[in-house]
Amino acid sequence: MKRKAFITGITGQDGSYLAEILLEKDYEVFGMVRRSSSFNTARIDHIFGEVELVFGDLCDGSVLNQLMRTIRPDEVYNLGAQSHVRVSFDVPEYTADTDAMGTLRLLDAIREEGVQARFYQASSSEMFGKAREIPQTEETPFHPRSPYGVSKVFSYWITRNYREAYGMFAVNGILFNHESPRRGPTFVTRKITRAVGAILRGEQNELRLGNLDAKRDWGYAKDYMDGAWRMLQADEPDDFVLATGETHSVEEFLDAAFGHGGLEWRDYVQIDERYFRPAEVDVLIGDYSKAKEKLGWEPNVRFEELVRMMVDADRERGKLEEHYL
Ligand code: NAP
Ligand code: GDD
């Protein structure tokens, strides 16, 4: 019998890579999608016939119960979220409903329906926020700086609580920023690499950005989804940081991306205060030694290669308005 995996957020960056990884391992893959007035499956169209898509929403508890009851998965990956930090200041209540309450609804659906599933929660380095120490580990206290970060802290703790209270195999992957050619176009890395492609095609001559001093630990999404799968294969449920252990500023990303395209970013970038945040996370850098020791996990792709991969993909794509990804 094939193992069954259920993924929320399958249409997102991470969900698409995870679905590919699980199909390669011969899982039966179920993905929850939201109804949309336009297509929202571009990242999984290439595996459309191999995965089973079901409609649902993390804000709708009754459908989560029904899906757990009928599918009875062996592994549940909760990747669905309103994942944009800046947007979470504009829609804090919706962000909390999806990113905090949604996790509780899903955990409770598993428990109430008596499903023996292992559960992965997409926790985030954004929980460290105004970071208390450098680098951040599984033991670093949280100080979230956005409605998104606060919601993820709730989800982190409710996941641990269901593990401790009900003996569920429920884990938190505390993932630092991870990117790819499939990264959403409004996150800073992809916004930059898409702009490089568009500038080189003569379609764009300006890039408006916010805080260039922020530093992030940027890795490759596919590596991180391999790590998420490993967490659910461990002997005991536990929480793990996945990171590269390197940090770079947005300005360094600009240097690398525009440089790879043979361009000087200062000729194109305008600072626009619309992209500043009411509260910022200044520096993130993770220590992944626990994942290395206990899961044998290490990042394969580092900063320079990641930037080149993203710029090359965006150079090859057609006109900006014709591609969603
Ligand atoms: P993403 O590309 O923004 O994908 C988010 C996914 O969640 C999409 O499939 C989206 O569906 C779905 N979704 C949004 N609201 C939903 C709702 N109310 N009910 C059900 N599904 C909903 O995000 P990602 O980069 O793949 O990240 C995956 C997860 O990891 C998220 O939980 C994110 O917060 C977390 N995380 C990401 C990073 C990172 O650097 N990428 C780091 C740490 C943690 P639509 O396609 O219909 O919008
Ligand atoms: N999005 C965006 N757009 N960010 C900008 C811009 C801009 O025009 N200009 C500067 N930045 C800065 C932000 O202020 C932030 O400090 C940094 O670039 C990274 O922003 P994002 O790419 O939006 O990512 P994030 O770090 O806020 O959040 C991502 O990583 C988290 C993990 O730490 C998201 O993927 C979250 O879902 C994830 O949890």
Side-chain angles (χ1 to χ4, degrees):
M1 271 263 281
K2 285 187 172 193
R3 279 177 293 175
K4 287 186 202 170
F6 177 80
I7 305 173
T8 70
I10 193 169
T11 56
Q13 169 188 258
D14 289 4
S16 67
Y17 285 113
L18 179 64
E20 287 172 1
I21 288 169
L22 294 172
L23 286 172
E24 274 167 27
K25 297 183 188 298
D26 209 29
Y27 279 74
E28 197 175 345
V29 177
F30 295 81
M32 189 175 81
V33 296
R34 301 193 291 175
R35 193 269 160 181
S36 166
S37 66
S38 53
F39 289 120
N40 62 353
T41 54
R43 296 188 179 95
I44 51 169
D45 281 347
H46 61 293
I47 50 170
F48 194 76
E50 297 168 72
V51 293
E52 181 145 348
L53 300 181
V54 290
F55 284 108
D57 195 298
L58 285 162
C59 300
D60 180 345
S62 63
V63 82
L64 296 176
N65 274 72
Q66 181 227 316
L67 291 171
M68 290 304 100
R69 186 164 60 245
T70 52
I71 297 171
R72 307 198 81 76
D74 300 295
E75 296 176 12
V76 172
Y77 295 87
N78 185 31
L79 309 182
Q82 191 302 93
S83 73
H84 203 285
V85 173
R86 175 68 190 82
V87 172
S88 77
F89 288 99
D90 300 329
V91 290
E93 186 179 330
Y94 172 70
T95 301
D97 198 18
T98 300
D99 300 11
M101 291 302 291
T103 308
L104 172 58
R105 291 185 189 105
L106 185 53
L107 279 165
D108 218 47
I110 296 169
R111 186 183 71 85
E112 277 185 15
E113 301 300 340
V115 176
Q116 297 301 311
R118 293 187 169 202
F119 179 85
Y120 173 87
Q121 170 56 21
S123 283
S124 167
S125 53
E126 183 71 14
M127 300 188 302
F128 297 122
K130 199 171 169 58
R132 306 279 176 85
E133 60 183 4
I134 289 177
Q136 295 89 50
T137 73
E138 293 80 3
E139 304 305 321
T140 303
F142 301 139
H143 184 150
R145 297 273 281 170
S146 60
Y148 169 82
V150 173
S151 303
K152 286 287 185 181
V153 170
F154 174 87
S155 283
Y156 169 91
W157 280 111
I158 202 68
T159 299
R160 281 192 65 162
N161 181 248
Y162 272 53
R163 176 163 93 215
E164 292 167 11
Y166 304 116
M168 280 176 62
F169 193 111
V171 309
N172 285 288
I174 307 172
L175 272 49
F176 283 64
N177 297 51
H178 45 278
E179 321 293 312
S180 75
R182 298 183 196 170
R183 181 59 142 153
T186 62
F187 296 95
V188 76
T189 55
R190 187 73 201 295
K191 190 170 166 183
I192 293 170
T193 62
R194 274 179 111 223
V196 171
I199 290 166
L200 290 170
R201 286 191 300 276
E203 297 166 21
Q204 186 172 332
N205 54 22
E206 183 185 84
L207 173 61
R208 303 186 82 83
L209 293 174
N211 176 16
L212 306 188
D213 296 327
K215 293 178 127 187
R216 291 290 182 275
D217 179 331
W218 279 298
Y220 176 40
K222 193 168 185 179
D223 287 345
Y224 287 47
M225 286 303 99
D226 166 62
W229 175 78
R230 287 174 191 241
M231 287 180 213
L232 290 198
Q233 316 313 310
D235 292 336
E236 299 292 331
D238 205 347
D239 307 316
F240 293 94
V241 161
L242 300 185
T244 70
E246 275 181 48
T247 193
H248 296 273
S249 66
V250 174
E251 184 170 327
E252 286 172 315
F253 196 101
L254 279 167
D255 270 331
F258 275 73
H260 187 56
L263 300 168
E264 166 54 61
W265 64 265
R266 290 175 185 81
D267 296 338
Y268 301 93
V269 171
Q270 303 287 331
I271 301 302
D272 186 333
E273 60 183 41
R274 274 182 303 175
Y275 299 111
F276 283 89
R277 293 162 184 197
E280 177 64 288
V281 171
D282 295 323
V283 185
L284 292 175
I285 178 166
D287 175 349
Y288 64 89
S289 40
K290 180 175 169 185
K292 184 176 177 185
E293 186 196 324
K294 298 206 167 157
L295 305 174
W297 181 88
E298 274 196 273
N300 291 313
V301 176
R302 299 294 178 146
F303 181 74
E304 297 292 341
E305 188 184 344
L306 176 69
V307 176
R308 284 197 302 272
M309 176 201 296
M310 292 177 71
V311 170
D312 289 345
D314 278 323
R315 286 178 79 160
E316 282 163 22
R317 286 184 162 112
K319 274 178 156 312
L320 201 55
E321 67 270 21
E322 285 167 7
H323 65 79
Y324 152 70
L325 272 182

